[in-house]
Amino acid sequence: MQTIQQKRAEYALKKIQEAERKLQSKKEKDEFKSYASALPAMIHMNGLGQAAAFYKSQGGRHEHLYTLLSDWLTQDNQPYAGNNNLLDGIAKNNMHIYRLAQAEAQELMTWVKMLAKAYITGE
C-alpha cells in the first residue's frame, strides 16, 4: 500500500516524464522548469484560485501545469473529486475544501518542482 506522498511522487513523475517527451527545445524545457518552480510560490502568495486562473489563461506550458494540478485535485479521494476541473471545483465548494485543496496543491507541486529539475534537462 502506498502512502499519499508516494502517490503524489508517482503521479508527478508520470506527468513530468510526459512533459519531457513533448518539450523539444532547450528554451521550452527551461521555461517549463521555471513555471513549475514558480507555481508553488504563486499559490502561497496569491492563493490557489488566482494562481490556477493565471496558469490556465496563459496557455502552453503554463496550461500544462494547470492541467497537471487540476487532474490531481479532481480525482477520487482529493478535495475536488467529482468536479470537471480545478476552477470548477474552486467555484462550487466552500472555504474549508479550498484550504484542503490549496495545501494538497502545495504538497504535489513540491514533487513536480523537484522532479522537473531532475528529469527535464536542457540538452
Side-chain angles (χ1 to χ4, degrees):
M1 179 176 213
Q2 287 184 311
T3 67
I4 187 66
Q5 279 288 50
Q6 290 172 311
K7 289 177 184 177
R8 286 181 194 120
E10 179 182 34
Y11 175 83
L13 179 58
K14 177 184 166 199
K15 295 298 182 176
I16 291 301
Q17 288 172 332
E18 287 173 10
E20 202 278 329
R21 285 190 295 273
K22 291 178 184 176
L23 300 170
Q24 298 185 2
S25 71
K26 181 182 180 340
K27 180 182 177 192
E28 288 177 336
K29 291 176 181 189
D30 289 346
E31 284 177 353
F32 184 88
K33 288 191 293 188
S34 176
Y35 301 154
S37 183
L39 184 52
M42 184 177 274
I43 292 170
H44 179 76
M45 289 185 290
N46 300 312
L48 177 61
Q50 289 82 357
F54 175 78
Y55 270 60
K56 172 80 172 144
S57 72
Q58 295 302 299
R61 285 163 291 289
H62 279 96
E63 190 169 5
H64 180 82
L65 287 161
Y66 165 82
T67 301
L68 180 154
L69 194 54
S70 180
D71 290 351
W72 176 257
L73 292 173
T74 58
Q75 68 182 351
D76 291 343
N77 298 318
Q78 288 298 327
Y80 294 132
N83 288 276
N84 294 329
N85 60 60
L86 176 55
L87 291 173
D88 187 50
I90 290 169
K92 292 181 178 178
N93 288 278
N94 63 41
M95 185 56 80
H96 175 72
I97 300 297
Y98 178 83
R99 286 186 187 122
L100 290 173
Q102 184 164 285
E104 183 61 31
Q106 291 288 51
E107 292 293 328
L108 176 66
M109 288 310 301
T110 298
W111 282 105
V112 171
K113 180 179 169 180
M114 286 188 302
L115 293 169
K117 286 180 183 177
Y119 280 86
I120 299 177
T121 62
E123 298 170 358

